[in-house]
Amino acid sequence: LLHAKCPRLFSAVDLEVQQAYELLAVVQQNMVAARGSGSSVDLARFSHLVQRPLKALWRHAASVDLAEAAARLRAIGACKGLVALCVRIARVRDPKDESLRPRDPTS
């Protein structure tokens, strides 16, 4: 809705990232509900549900708020996805690995 009304403030990328966060929230709610009802948690099903939002975050790594994504992924136990996303964000933000090179103190 915000993207439709204010496309200059909220890009299509912002919309996809927000939708990914919302899907992760739904997964978390479903996990809590399953645990609360005494049902066994179908980890394969939840893993499948996490893939769509994770792919969206991966595609738009340059626009992802790492702190928010990390909190949401940790909350559902998607640690492998979180590590992969961190690596992707690092690669997008520093494609030449300049942060790993020692700086010349004379420059």
Side-chain angles (χ1 to χ4, degrees), residues 2 20 23-24 29-30 33 41 45-46 48-49 55 67 72 74 76 80 88 90-92:
L2 290 175
L23 286 170
L24 292 173
Q29 291 168 357
N30 288 337
V41 175
R45 180 174 161 262
F46 285 117
H48 177 73
L49 292 173
K55 285 178 184 177
R72 291 175 185 263
R74 270 190 307 228
I76 59 173
K80 285 183 183 180
R88 173 71 175 157
R91 180 66 56 207
V92 167

Side-chain angles (χ1 to χ4, degrees), residues 21-35:
Y21 291 151
E22 290 171 7
L23 286 170
L24 292 173
V26 168
V27 170
Q28 182 180 10
Q29 291 168 357
N30 288 337
M31 288 179 78
V32 169
R35 288 182 181 141

Side-chain angles (χ1 to χ4, degrees), residues 8-97:
R8 288 185 179 177
L9 293 178
F10 301 97
S11 69
V13 170
D14 295 331
L15 177 65
E16 285 187 48
V17 169
Q18 187 58 42
Q19 287 173 336
Y21 291 151
E22 290 171 7
L23 286 170
L24 292 173
V26 168
V27 170
Q28 182 180 10
Q29 291 168 357
N30 288 337
M31 288 179 78
V32 169
R35 288 182 181 141
S37 68
S39 305
S40 63
V41 175
D42 183 357
L43 294 179
R45 180 174 161 262
F46 285 117
S47 177
H48 177 73
L49 292 173
V50 170
Q51 292 309 306
R52 182 175 165 210
L54 199 51
K55 285 178 184 177
L57 295 174
W58 176 275
R59 268 193 319 274
H60 305 299
S63 300
V64 171
D65 176 351
L66 183 56
E68 184 170 359
R72 291 175 185 263
L73 290 167
R74 270 190 307 228
I76 59 173
C79 296
K80 285 183 183 180
L82 174 56
V83 170
L85 182 61
C86 288
V87 170
R88 173 71 175 157
I89 290 171
R91 180 66 56 207
V92 167
R93 293 182 182 170
D94 185 15
K96 296 180 183 179
D97 287 333

